[in-house]
Amino acid sequence: MMHQHPRTASKVASSVPVLRIGAVGKQFGATKVLEKCSLDVDEGEIVTLLGPSGCGKTTLLRCIAGFLDADQGDVRIDGQDMGPIPVNRRPVGVVFQSYALFPHMTVARNVAYALKMQGIRGAEADRRVAGALATVSLQDFGDRYPSQLSGGQQQRVAIARVLVMEPRVLLLDEPFNALDAKLRSSMQVELRQLIKRLGLTAIFVTHDQEEALTMSDRIAIMRAGRIEQAAPPDEIFDYPATAYVADFIGTSNFWKASAAGGTVPLPDGQRRQTEHSGDVQIMARPHNLKLAEPEAGEWRGHVQFHRTIGALIEYHVETSDGVLLQVATMRQERAAPFDDGAAVSLHIIDPTYCAVYPAS
Amino acid sequence: MTDAAVPQQISGRGLGERLIDALLSGRGIWPAVPAIIVLMVVAVVPFVILLSLGFSNIVVSRGEIVSQTFSLAHLTNALTDPLYWTTFQRSLNLALTTTLLCLVFGYPVAYLFLVGGKWTKRAILILTIAPLLTSGIVRTYAWLVILGGRGVVNSTLMNLGLIDQPLRIMNTHWAVLIGMVQIHLPVMILPLIAVMSRHDSRLVEASANLGASRLATLRTIVLPLSVPGIGTGAALVFTLSYTTFVVPQLLGGGNYLNAATMIYEQVVFSLEWSKGSVSSLILMVTCLIVLVAIALVTNHFTRWTKGRDA
C-alpha cells in the first residue's frame, strides 16, 4: 500500500533510527486503537502524526512516552527496547496540549524540576535552567508563576522544561491547540526553527493539516489506528498513497474509470499508466485541471459558480456526466474568467500527478 | 423584523420580569437578601440574646427572666474554673485528633480517586456520599451495636480466642474517637477530591515524564496542590467535631464531658443559662482561633495562588 518514492528510499538507508516504532498495537477493551503501526524517525527529523480525532495518534504518542504500554510490537530509542523502561526513565520529553505546567512553582522551578529529579542542584542546575529559558527567550520570566504568563509564553516554558533534560525524542501533543489562530502560525514557524537549530528529533501530534505541512519533515497520516502513509509533505500532497490520504490532505477531485492493460483512459483523451486493472477511481488536484473553450476538448461541462481567492480563481464545474469538480487557475491566465453557467471543456495538465486507486 | 421593534420589546417587559432580572444580575447583595433575612431571624438575634445572658445576672421565675443586670462574673468564674479548662482541653484534643486521623485515613482515598480509573472514582464517590444520606444519630447508634459488650468486635475477638472477656470499648474515649472519625471522614474526603480533580490530570504524567518517581510526584506535585483541600477539610472536620454533641453523648455513655455536652447539661439540666452562654462564647471563640490558625497555615502553603492574573 505504501507508495515508495525515491526520497524515502534513500532515507531508509541510514543506520539505526533514533526512534523505531515496530508494529505497535493497542486495544482498549474490544476496540483496537492501534494496529501494526510502524515508523522510523531519524536523527533531527520532525515527524507529524496527522489524523482526525480518534485515529489513534495520541494513543501512539502515549505509548512512546510510556504512559501506556503497547499490547503488541515495540518502541525502540537508539535501538534500545523501551518496553521495560518505566515512564520516568525514558529519554523522552513531552509537551502537553494543556502544557501541564506546575501551577505552584515559578517558571524557573518548573524548568529545574527535571534536574532536581536527577539530583542536579546548585550552580549547574542554575546554569542549565538559565540556558533553557534563554533558548525560548524567557530569561527574564524565571520568577513568574505560570498563571501570570500568556498562552504563548506558557508553551515556551513547557518546551524549556523538557529541553533542560536533553531528551532524545521530543513529543508534542497538539501544542498549538490552546493558542489563538494568529499566534499559532507564528509559533509554528518559531518552534520548527528552534527544534531544527537544536537538532532535536521530534514527533508532533495534530489534526490540523496546515500545521502538519508547516512543521514536518515527514507526515504520517493515521486512520483508524493505522498509518496510511508516511512521507514528506510535498510527496503526501503530490502522490497520496490512498484515496483517504488524498481526500484528507488538500482538495481533491475523484471520478470513476476502468483500467485495462496497464493504463487507464483519462476523460480528456489522455492516458495514464497504472498497476491497477478493472474499476478504479482517479484523483486530480484542482490545480492540475484547467478550463478551455468548449470546442477545445472532448471532456465537457459547465461552470456552476466561481470565486476569486486572491491570485486564484476557484471554479466549481459539473461535467456532462454529472461529476462535480473543483478547478483552480491563476487569475492572470485568462483576460476574463468563465462566467457561471458557461460551457467549458476540461483538461488535465499533467497526467502523472493524477493518482489511481482501486474503486472503493 | 424592523429595528424599531426591538427597543419597544425591551421597554415592554413587566415589573416582575425586571425585578427577577435585577435579582439575577448579581449587582449588590439582592440575590442574598432572603437568606440574610432568615439568618437574622433564626441565628443572629437568638445569638445576641444568648450572649446577653452570659454578661448579666438574671433572675428566672417560672421559666421567664424577671430581672437582668450587667455582670462579668460568669466569664471570670468560667475562666478560673479548672473544670472548664479540662473540658475544653478534652474537646480540643478530641477534635484535633479526629481531624488528624480523618486526614490520615481520607488522604489515601482521595489520592486513589485522583489516580484511579472511572469505576474506582465512581465507587469512591458513592461510598463517601452514602453515609451522609443517613442521619449522624443513626450512624452513631450503629457503633453501639458494633462496639458494645456483646457487639460484633467483642464477639469476633472472643470467638477467635484472642480475649477471654469482652473489652470495654463503649463509653470510653476510644469509642468516642472511633465514632468521630467515621462520622466525619466523608467531610474530609470530599473537599480533597474536589481540589484534586480541579487540577489537570496531566500534571501527574508531566511529573513522571520529567523523571519523578510516584513518591516524588506525590510529595512535590499532588500534596502541595491539595493543600487548599486539606485546609478546607480540616476546617470542616475540626468545627464539626469540636462542637459535636451526639457522638460523645451516645458513645461516651452520658459521662463523657466535652464542651457541647457540658453546655447541654448547663442549659437543660441545671438551667444555668448564663453559664451555658459563657461556655458557648468560649467554644465559639476558641473554635475561631483554631480556624484562623488553619487558614493561616493553608495560606502560607498556597502563596502561589496569590500572584495570579497580576
Side-chain angles (χ1 to χ4, degrees):
Chain A
M1 215 55 183
M2 294 284 255
H3 187 102
Q4 274 298 340
H5 192 256
R7 258 175 296 180
T8 38
S10 66
K11 196 150 259 167
V12 176
S14 62
S15 58
V16 181
V18 173
L19 175 68
R20 165 161 280 176
I21 301 164
V24 164
K26 179 76 192 170
Q27 273 177 256
F28 292 132
T31 323
K32 282 185 180 170
V33 190
L34 293 177
E35 242 181 302
K36 293 198 179 114
C37 286
S38 296
L39 186 68
D40 284 356
V41 182
D42 286 328
E43 185 88 54
E45 202 182 11
I46 302 178
V47 175
T48 297
L49 304 177
L50 175 65
S53 60
C55 70
K57 56 193 192 297
T58 297
T59 307
L60 185 55
L61 189 88
R62 293 172 65 76
C63 286
I64 301 169
F67 300 134
L68 289 173
D69 292 325
D71 294 334
Q72 295 97 34
D74 55 4
V75 173
R76 288 175 183 276
I77 292 177
D78 293 326
Q80 192 192 358
D81 183 9
M82 287 292 116
I85 313 279
V87 55
N88 60 333
R89 299 251 178 275
R90 294 195 182 188
V92 166
V94 182
V95 176
F96 292 86
Q97 188 174 348
S98 57
Y99 312 140
L101 299 178
F102 304 131
H104 60 302
M105 295 183 189
T106 59
V107 167
R109 284 187 59 212
N110 263 282
V111 177
Y113 192 79
L115 299 176
K116 195 172 140 194
M117 290 304 140
Q118 290 171 28
I120 301 168
R121 284 159 207 276
E124 198 204 337
D126 292 346
R127 189 179 51 76
R128 285 172 69 175
V129 168
L133 284 176
T135 308
V136 296
S137 318
L138 283 176
Q139 50 272 51
D140 300 329
F141 290 80
D143 295 331
R144 304 270 189 102
Y145 283 98
S147 57
Q148 295 169 307
L149 303 180
S150 70
Q153 290 167 335
Q154 289 184 17
Q155 188 195 50
R156 285 188 274 159
V157 176
I159 293 163
R161 188 173 68 169
V162 293
L163 288 185
V164 80
M165 62 176 181
E166 295 166 1
R168 283 299 282 149
V169 180
L170 190 61
L171 303 177
L172 303 105
D173 185 9
E174 311 219 12
F176 302 107
N177 256 23
L179 301 179
D180 61 64
K182 202 176 165 194
L183 191 57
R184 200 177 294 182
S185 61
S186 69
M187 281 301 282
Q188 284 166 6
V189 176
E190 211 173 288
L191 188 53
R192 179 177 163 83
Q193 287 171 340
L194 175 67
I195 293 171
K196 284 291 162 192
R197 195 176 67 212
L198 299 173
L200 288 165
T201 306
I203 298 232
F204 258 93
V205 159
T206 184
H207 62 264
D208 182 316
Q209 56 163 299
E210 198 184 321
E211 188 176 309
L213 294 168
T214 310
M215 295 295 305
S216 327
D217 297 323
R218 272 194 301 150
I219 299 174
I221 308 266
M222 291 190 70
R223 175 200 193 184
R226 289 172 170 277
I227 295 176
E228 289 258 319
Q229 184 177 13
D234 51 353
E235 190 186 324
I236 290 258
F237 190 80
D238 291 340
Y239 306 101
T242 66
Y244 175 82
V245 173
D247 196 35
F248 191 79
I249 291 276
T251 314
S252 43
N253 296 304
F254 287 94
W255 65 87
K256 292 188 176 72
S258 188
T263 63
V264 60
L266 298 176
D268 65 345
Q270 304 187 70
R271 297 191 81 82
R272 190 202 186 284
Q273 288 181 320
T274 177
E275 69 268 32
H276 300 291
S277 63
D279 287 343
V280 294
Q281 48 181 341
I282 299 175
M283 190 283 293
R285 298 291 186 193
H287 62 266
N288 195 22
L289 298 176
K290 70 176 182 190
L291 300 181
E293 306 303 330
E295 47 287 352
E298 56 193 75
W299 192 16
R300 304 269 166 79
H302 67 272
V303 177
Q304 277 198 327
F305 73 95
H306 72 283
R307 56 176 182 158
T308 306
I309 308 165
L312 281 178
I313 301 178
E314 180 189 287
Y315 292 100
H316 290 239
V317 177
E318 185 178 2
T319 63
S320 51
D321 43 3
V323 181
L324 293 173
L325 300 173
Q326 275 189 43
V327 180
T329 58
M330 296 301 287
R331 202 140 53 113
Q332 69 261 33
E333 278 178 24
R334 278 180 66 87
F338 289 100
D339 286 326
D340 290 355
V344 290
S345 64
L346 292 110
H347 304 268
I348 290 164
I349 297 169
D350 185 347
T352 55
Y353 283 102
C354 286
V356 182
Y357 307 112
S360 55
Chain B
M1 274 302 203
T2 61
D3 290 353
V6 178
Q8 205 173 5
Q9 246 177 347
I10 290 171
S11 63
R13 293 183 315 166
L15 179 69
E17 201 180 331
R18 268 185 293 167
L19 187 68
I20 290 170
D21 194 58
L23 280 178
L24 298 181
S25 72
R27 279 190 282 275
I29 55 162
W30 292 107
V33 164
I36 291 172
I37 292 171
V38 171
L39 280 178
M40 289 298 283
V41 174
V42 305
V44 176
V45 172
F47 184 71
V48 170
I49 295 172
L50 179 74
L51 270 191
S52 75
L53 296 179
F55 291 93
S56 51
N57 285 317
I58 51 171
V59 180
V60 179
S61 163
R62 286 190 220 127
E64 283 190 34
I65 298 165
V66 289
S67 92
Q68 189 169 3
T69 49
F70 178 78
S71 163
L72 282 175
H74 299 296
L75 185 64
T76 50
N77 285 348
L79 291 179
T80 51
D81 186 346
L83 177 72
Y84 275 79
W85 286 97
T86 51
T87 305
F88 275 100
Q89 205 170 21
R90 190 181 300 120
S91 280
L92 196 64
N93 279 342
L94 178 68
L96 289 175
T97 315
T98 304
T99 308
L100 195 67
L101 288 177
C102 281
L103 184 60
V104 168
F105 292 122
Y107 201 88
V109 177
Y111 180 74
L112 194 60
F113 183 90
L114 175 74
V115 297
K118 192 173 66 180
W119 288 103
T120 314
K121 286 187 203 295
R122 282 183 192 171
I124 289 174
L125 265 189
I126 290 169
L127 291 176
T128 308
I129 291 171
L132 296 176
L133 302 176
T134 331
S135 145
I137 298 179
V138 175
R139 281 185 285 156
T140 311
Y141 267 117
W143 283 108
L144 293 176
V145 180
I146 298 169
L147 300 176
R150 294 162 195 278
V152 179
V153 173
N154 272 320
S155 52
T156 307
L157 289 176
M158 281 168 73
N159 287 342
L160 288 172
L162 293 172
I163 52 171
D164 302 328
Q165 289 187 337
L167 291 173
R168 194 171 156 267
I169 312 173
M170 272 311 302
N171 304 345
T172 65
H173 175 72
W174 297 108
V176 175
L177 188 60
I178 291 169
M180 295 278 274
V181 171
Q182 192 269 323
I183 300 267
H184 296 121
L185 196 52
V187 183
M188 176 64 87
I189 294 176
L190 289 177
L192 285 176
I193 285 177
V195 162
M196 283 191 183
S197 44
R198 196 167 65 202
H199 291 292
D200 185 359
S201 61
R202 298 278 188 256
L203 292 179
V204 172
E205 287 180 353
S207 172
N209 177 250
L210 294 167
S213 63
R214 281 184 210 281
L215 183 64
T217 302
L218 175 64
R219 198 169 48 78
T220 57
I221 308 297
V222 179
L223 203 54
L225 288 178
S226 60
V227 165
I230 296 175
T232 308
L236 286 172
V237 171
F238 177 80
T239 310
L240 292 172
S241 54
Y242 187 52
T243 57
T244 186
F245 168 73
V246 171
V247 180
Q249 183 73 6
L250 292 182
L251 298 182
N255 50 27
Y256 189 94
L257 200 63
N258 78 339
T261 54
M262 183 175 77
I263 295 169
Y264 174 73
E265 292 195 355
Q266 287 167 341
V267 174
V268 174
F269 286 113
S270 32
L271 293 175
E272 295 169 302
W273 294 357
S274 296
K275 271 194 180 178
S277 163
V278 166
S279 305
S280 303
L281 181 67
I282 296 173
L283 183 68
M284 198 185 75
V285 170
T286 46
C287 189
L288 279 177
I289 290 172
V290 175
L291 289 183
V292 167
I294 291 174
L296 287 177
V297 173
T298 308
N299 279 346
H300 177 77
F301 285 107
T302 54
R303 277 162 301 175
W304 57 274
T305 57
K306 299 301 179 293
R308 291 190 142 181
D309 310 315

